[in-house]
Amino acid sequence: MEINPQTLDQREVYKLLIGCVVPRPIAWVSTSDEAGNYNLAPYSFFNAAGSNPPTLTIAINYSAAKSGRKDTLHNILTLGEFVINIVSEETAAAMNETSADVPADVDEFALAGLTPAPSRAVRPPRVAESPVSFECTLHTSVPVGEGPGSSTIVIGIVRHIYLRDDLLNERGYVQIDRLRPIGRLAGSAYCRISDIFDMPNRRS
Ligand SMILES: Cc1cc2nc3c(=O)[nH]c(=O)nc-3n(C[C@H](O)[C@H](O)[C@H](O)COP(=O)(O)O)c2cc1C
């Protein structure tokens, strides 16, 4: 099958993308608004981009219900600061709670029974229940397209990292069986990392 995405409607293209780009890590993004209200929401269009400086990216899609701009994007563009928390199996259900489309002044920490912990380098709090939190400042935001299906790619520079004490092994690698992150698939499907195989790097 050969597909020209221009012949599909936006929803069909979205379904292909989220079905094929899998599994996606989940950035659980905490932000604050001008008044200091907390906001928390999951974003699976997420990845690491560089390590000097350390950079992370998320993509925030257009939301008709929010006049285009989701609360997370509004807060990041206003304050220039955000925290990306990692979602573990233990916090999967709470993460899902925080994806509810609620008004901007609703604190999703309280909604999902989570604990905001003070960050060290930025104003928005981290999620105390998360094993890892990356405190970021906004580097750039890139709007791509307009209307439904469009998105804003946000690039953040990591200013501080919270890492739960038991996660690192003696060689400085994160132990995946302690982190227990979950991944997003299409629709309501998620995955655990429970089938790992080794393949030594090729060095030519
Ligand atoms: C696991 C998961 C991943 C999600 N990933 C994204 C994403 O990458 N981009 C996006 O715009 N929305 C994503 N969403 C939807 C947002 O979390 C949802 O629109 C949320 O209400 C936004 O909240 P906010 O307005 O407080 O930012 C995701 C939802 C879930 C449950």
Side-chain angles (χ1 to χ4, degrees), residues 67 69 151 176 204:
S67 316
R69 215 175 248 194
S151 72
I176 201 83
S204 47

Side-chain angles (χ1 to χ4, degrees), residues 131-151:
V132 180
S133 299
F134 296 104
E135 300 177 17
C136 300
T137 55
L138 175 64
H139 177 271
T140 330
S141 66
V142 185
V144 182
E146 279 172 23
S150 67
S151 72

Side-chain angles (χ1 to χ4, degrees), residues 146-158:
E146 279 172 23
S150 67
S151 72
T152 300
I153 300 168
V154 169
I155 302 173
I157 307 252
V158 179

Side-chain angles (χ1 to χ4, degrees), residues 28-46:
W28 207 2
V29 186
S30 41
T31 54
S32 310
D33 69 10
E34 303 90 322
N37 296 311
Y38 299 156
N39 192 88
L40 182 63
Y43 286 88
S44 70
F45 288 181
F46 162 51

Side-chain angles (χ1 to χ4, degrees), residues 79-169:
L79 209 64
E81 298 179 349
F82 55 103
V83 181
I84 292 186
N85 307 274
I86 297 299
V87 181
S88 59
E89 290 176 37
E90 292 76 14
T91 54
M95 175 281 295
N96 201 27
E97 290 292 302
T98 65
S99 72
D101 187 7
V102 291
D105 59 354
V106 172
D107 173 356
E108 287 95 350
F109 280 90
L111 189 79
L114 294 160
T115 318
S119 294
R120 299 290 175 98
V122 299
R123 284 162 283 181
R126 66 178 172 86
V127 176
E129 289 81 359
S130 282
V132 180
S133 299
F134 296 104
E135 300 177 17
C136 300
T137 55
L138 175 64
H139 177 271
T140 330
S141 66
V142 185
V144 182
E146 279 172 23
S150 67
S151 72
T152 300
I153 300 168
V154 169
I155 302 173
I157 307 252
V158 179
R159 303 294 181 181
H160 186 81
I161 302 172
Y162 165 81
L163 204 64
R164 208 178 59 208
D165 286 342
D166 64 311
L167 292 180
L168 287 189
N169 69 12

Side-chain angles (χ1 to χ4, degrees), residues 163-180:
L163 204 64
R164 208 178 59 208
D165 286 342
D166 64 311
L167 292 180
L168 287 189
N169 69 12
E170 60 291 342
R171 292 170 58 227
Y173 285 104
V174 173
Q175 303 183 86
I176 201 83
D177 54 331
R178 302 242 169 121
L179 185 63
R180 289 157 55 95

Side-chain angles (χ1 to χ4, degrees), residues 7-88:
T7 64
L8 302 180
D9 70 33
Q10 178 260 318
R11 193 71 209 163
E12 291 171 319
V13 176
Y14 177 76
K15 277 157 60 179
L16 285 177
L17 293 178
I18 62 165
C20 296
V21 183
V22 284
R24 292 183 304 287
I26 303 172
W28 207 2
V29 186
S30 41
T31 54
S32 310
D33 69 10
E34 303 90 322
N37 296 311
Y38 299 156
N39 192 88
L40 182 63
Y43 286 88
S44 70
F45 288 181
F46 162 51
N47 227 309
S51 48
N52 183 23
T55 41
L56 298 173
T57 63
I58 53 172
I60 301 181
N61 300 138
Y62 175 93
S63 163
K66 300 257 174 184
S67 316
R69 215 175 248 194
K70 296 189 183 188
D71 300 335
T72 300
L73 180 61
H74 172 88
N75 291 349
I76 290 174
L77 296 181
T78 305
L79 209 64
E81 298 179 349
F82 55 103
V83 181
I84 292 186
N85 307 274
I86 297 299
V87 181
S88 59

